[in-house]
Amino acid sequence: MNCYVYGYGPADKERLIIVDLGVTFPDMDGTPGVDLILPDISWLEERRERIDGLFITHAHEDHVGAVGHLFERLGVPIYARAFTANIARRKLDEYGIGPEAVTTVSKYPEAVTLGNMKVSFVPVSHSIPESAALLIETPAGRVVHSGDFKLDETPGVGEPFDPDMWAEIASGGIRAYVCDSTNVHSPNPGRSEATVGPAITELVSEAKGMVVATTFASNIARVKTLAEAGERAGRSICLLGRAMRRMIEAGIETGVLDDFPKVVSSDDALDIPRENLMLIVTGSQGERRAASAQLANGKYRGITMKEGDTFLFSSKTIPGNERGVIRVINQFSEMGVDVVDENSGGHYHVSGHANRPDLERMHDILKPQILVPCHGEHRHLREHAKLADQKGIANVVAVNGSMVDLSGNAPRIVEYFETGRTYLDGSVKVGAMDGVIRDRMRMALNGHVMVSVIMDEDEPVGEPWCEVMGLAETGASNAPLVDVLEEDLNQFLMRAGTKTLMDDDRLETELRRITRNTTQSEIGKKPEVTVVVSRLS
């Protein structure tokens, strides 16, 4: 859920640019029922008139995913390279926003000048085409925002690492390097995308039944590698999953992808012998609605997996997604499908992020005065800061909400701002502190009881009745829980005084208390309780 802000000018009057506007994804433990998590942009909205533009480094969802959802609240020009601009325009189109909202910018040395800042898109290798670092030039010095990157001289799709270009950029002096920290704990130099091709080709060629492979849909280079491996093995290639097809279309439209093997439709795939077919599908993180999970559940677009087939995860499981991936693996295992994943020696996937030696190499090339670690968990930021200390580079660990002053000889955190999350919940956006998700979690954990009572002045009309959800039907009394609740509530109404029976608030409070206590005694749970008191006029 990346969102950075750079500013230049007097305090509280700075002209601002935004770098990236991404999303993150919910989980059933902490955000049940939520569709998507967006950054809370209240701070930016309050300063909207001072924002000159939004620059998107690349087209991964955690960097571009929120542009459609939040564009109207900001209304600022968007700048991106061609492939990223294509994806951004597709997202804006879903909200009826025209393509003119996004300006396509060529790579360095072309630059966009906004006020006192000049911004260039500097090509970097990553696991999606046309990724870029940003060179931000100001009268007070030059900043490099690394974006997500790796050092890859043979990336397959996209530009290779160019040390001469970076040396040229560094020759003008770099005040601050704001740098990706994701793989700072990985001790070996990163591997090139080209190294996975031979291993995948060998695997696909030796497989006996149908081969199905999944990777991140945005990793076009890997999708192409998989498709070429299938083609070499004499297999027909079928792409399954909307995101997969959308990314390949964007790659072809923008010219970053050429010579992609011919593909067949899912309908045609049904008529092709299994041993001559390879599917490339979405769902490398175990997403329940993606093609891989649907195949694991039994069938997707009429296609089924069978004993002797092979399923390849050409991807790394993102921390937090392990449960979903393991579920899919076990489902395939029960079918007799052979599953190959990241635990198979690491032959079929390489990371899109720079490892520790690669980070050190960039430090040595750029020779920044200041390093600000970014893009990683707190432990990654701290480790990257320690690495800077070893090289004598001034640095600071800046958590979410930090405002860092880069104008001196060393970085200083000068202010903290409240940052938060906005939940896309169905078709509406709710704040993290609004209580909606908290109430949902309470119901999920504790169950729910609806108590209904009809009153005529100070007399109940009939007995109260209860509706129970998410709770055991029978408790300690060996009687239906609903019957026990209704009996206890009715006993209370028979004994209650006129003052209580005439006061809706007091009546609701007592009915709720009794319901929770009875449920606790019967089944050991204190549920969420809704009380409805209806009075005859």
Side-chain angles (χ1 to χ4, degrees):
M1 197 169 59
N2 294 276
C3 182
Y4 302 86
V5 185
Y6 289 88
Y8 177 83
D12 297 321
K13 294 182 181 178
E14 304 96 338
R15 299 305 301 179
L16 307 172
I17 62 169
I18 306 169
V19 175
D20 293 332
L21 195 60
V23 299
T24 190
F25 298 95
D27 60 71
M28 288 303 294
D29 291 333
T31 47
V34 170
D35 297 285
L36 211 54
I37 303 175
L38 318 171
D40 179 351
I41 60 167
S42 301
W43 189 91
L44 286 168
E45 230 177 342
E46 292 167 4
R47 294 157 179 81
R48 177 172 170 169
E49 75 287 348
R50 287 163 44 198
I51 303 172
D52 291 324
L54 164 61
F55 292 80
I56 307 296
T57 60
H58 63 283
H60 276 150
E61 287 296 297
D62 59 330
H63 293 259
V64 72
V67 292
H69 301 289
L70 300 176
F71 177 80
E72 290 187 343
R73 291 174 57 188
L74 294 173
V76 299
I78 300 172
Y79 300 92
R81 298 188 66 195
F83 180 83
T84 305
N86 182 289
I87 299 299
R89 290 188 182 108
R90 289 169 184 250
K91 293 183 178 300
L92 291 168
D93 183 62
E94 295 175 11
Y95 285 80
I97 300 164
E100 67 280 356
V102 183
T103 299
T104 301
V105 183
S106 296
K107 64 184 179 180
Y108 173 86
E110 181 176 323
V112 176
T113 300
L114 299 174
N116 283 315
M117 285 187 277
K118 186 166 78 169
V119 184
S120 303
F121 287 88
V122 186
V124 295
S125 300
H126 187 42
S127 53
I128 192 170
E130 291 196 337
S131 296
L134 298 180
L135 173 62
I136 304 169
E137 302 180 75
T138 79
R142 303 159 87 228
V143 176
V144 171
H145 181 96
S146 78
D148 294 6
F149 79 102
K150 65 181 292 188
L151 306 188
D152 192 342
E153 296 182 3
T154 52
V157 175
E159 296 102 338
F161 171 60
D162 185 349
D164 294 335
M165 177 191 64
W166 281 108
E168 174 193 316
I169 290 170
S171 66
I174 303 298
R175 173 173 287 275
Y177 187 30
V178 182
C179 184
D180 180 2
S181 308
T182 308
N183 282 357
V184 68
H185 290 288
S186 299
N188 300 314
R191 293 164 52 218
S192 170
E193 180 65 32
T195 63
V196 302
I200 291 175
T201 298
E202 182 179 358
L203 176 71
V204 176
S205 298
E206 294 179 354
K208 301 302 181 187
M210 183 170 67
V211 175
V212 183
T214 185
T215 188
F216 298 99
S218 57
N219 193 345
I220 290 178
R222 184 68 48 74
V223 177
K224 185 179 181 183
T225 296
L226 291 165
E228 288 174 341
E231 187 178 53
R232 289 192 196 100
R235 294 174 180 266
S236 298
I237 309 302
C238 178
L239 302 178
L240 292 181
R242 187 178 66 170
M244 188 74 68
R245 296 192 301 273
R246 186 172 65 238
M247 283 291 176
I248 297 301
E249 289 169 3
I252 293 171
E253 287 174 12
T254 55
V256 301
L257 185 62
D258 54 17
D259 299 327
F260 193 84
K262 181 182 177 182
V263 299
V264 300
S265 69
S266 56
D267 289 337
D268 290 339
L270 293 171
D271 298 324
I272 297 172
R274 306 183 70 77
E275 63 275 11
N276 296 333
L277 181 63
M278 180 174 179
L279 311 179
I280 306 175
V281 305
T282 54
S284 66
Q285 301 304 300
E287 302 96 319
R288 288 182 180 273
R289 289 182 289 184
S292 60
Q294 297 294 333
L295 287 169
N297 287 333
K299 183 182 292 187
Y300 183 70
R301 294 188 175 273
I303 300 172
T304 58
M305 300 287 286
K306 293 184 179 179
E307 185 173 355
D309 290 343
T310 300
F311 192 97
L312 168 63
F313 282 90
S314 184
S315 57
K316 180 181 180 180
T317 302
I318 297 172
N321 294 340
E322 296 89 350
R323 188 181 302 174
V325 171
I326 291 170
R327 181 184 65 249
V328 169
I329 290 173
N330 282 323
Q331 286 176 296
F332 281 136
S333 181
E334 291 170 7
M335 296 177 186
V337 173
D338 296 321
V339 178
V340 181
D341 63 6
E342 61 183 306
N343 296 316
S344 305
H347 302 301
Y348 310 107
H349 176 67
V350 293
S351 175
H353 296 271
N355 290 356
R356 189 183 188 92
D358 309 317
L359 295 173
E360 292 187 273
R361 186 177 178 189
M362 286 303 295
H363 297 170
D364 293 340
I365 292 173
L366 292 177
K367 297 180 175 59
Q369 178 182 335
I370 294 168
L371 178 82
V372 182
C374 72
H375 205 284
E377 299 168 13
H378 195 274
R379 63 191 179 98
H380 299 124
L381 306 186
R382 284 192 65 216
E383 186 64 23
H384 202 170
K386 291 177 184 177
L387 184 59
D389 286 334
Q390 294 170 15
K391 290 183 166 290
I393 304 172
N395 61 82
V396 64
V397 175
V399 298
N400 290 341
S402 305
M403 177 182 278
V404 183
D405 181 356
L406 300 174
S407 63
N409 292 324
R412 296 183 305 120
I413 295 178
V414 293
E415 199 166 353
Y416 288 97
F417 296 97
E418 188 68 35
T419 60
R421 298 180 163 203
T422 299
Y423 298 137
L424 179 64
D425 193 45
S427 59
V428 299
K429 300 178 182 72
V430 299
M433 304 306 292
D434 290 355
V436 174
I437 307 305
R438 182 186 63 235
D439 290 347
R440 188 176 297 159
M441 289 176 68
R442 285 177 174 171
M443 287 189 284
L445 292 169
N446 303 317
H448 183 262
V449 178
M450 170 82 77
V451 177
S452 299
V453 177
I454 299 176
M455 300 294 296
D456 186 1
E457 297 294 337
D458 62 349
E459 293 284 338
V461 177
E463 298 180 351
W465 71 94
C466 300
E467 296 179 28
V468 174
M469 294 184 67
L471 295 168
E473 294 182 1
T474 305
S477 300
N478 291 321
L481 176 61
V482 170
D483 292 353
V484 178
L485 284 169
E486 290 176 350
E487 178 62 26
D488 286 357
L489 292 170
N490 192 50
Q491 289 293 326
F492 160 74
L493 291 174
M494 295 300 100
R495 297 192 306 267
T498 301
K499 244 183 202 181
T500 298
L501 295 175
M502 293 292 289
D503 185 332
D504 282 0
D505 290 338
R506 290 177 65 176
L507 185 56
E508 287 179 18
T509 298
E510 288 301 310
L511 291 171
R512 184 175 292 106
R513 179 185 62 80
I514 292 166
T515 300
R516 287 169 61 85
N517 288 346
T518 297
T519 310
Q520 173 71 26
S521 299
E522 286 292 307
I523 63 172
K525 300 284 288 185
K526 284 195 171 183
E528 298 302 300
V529 180
T530 300
V531 178
V532 178
V533 177
S534 302
R535 291 191 178 272
L536 301 178
S537 56

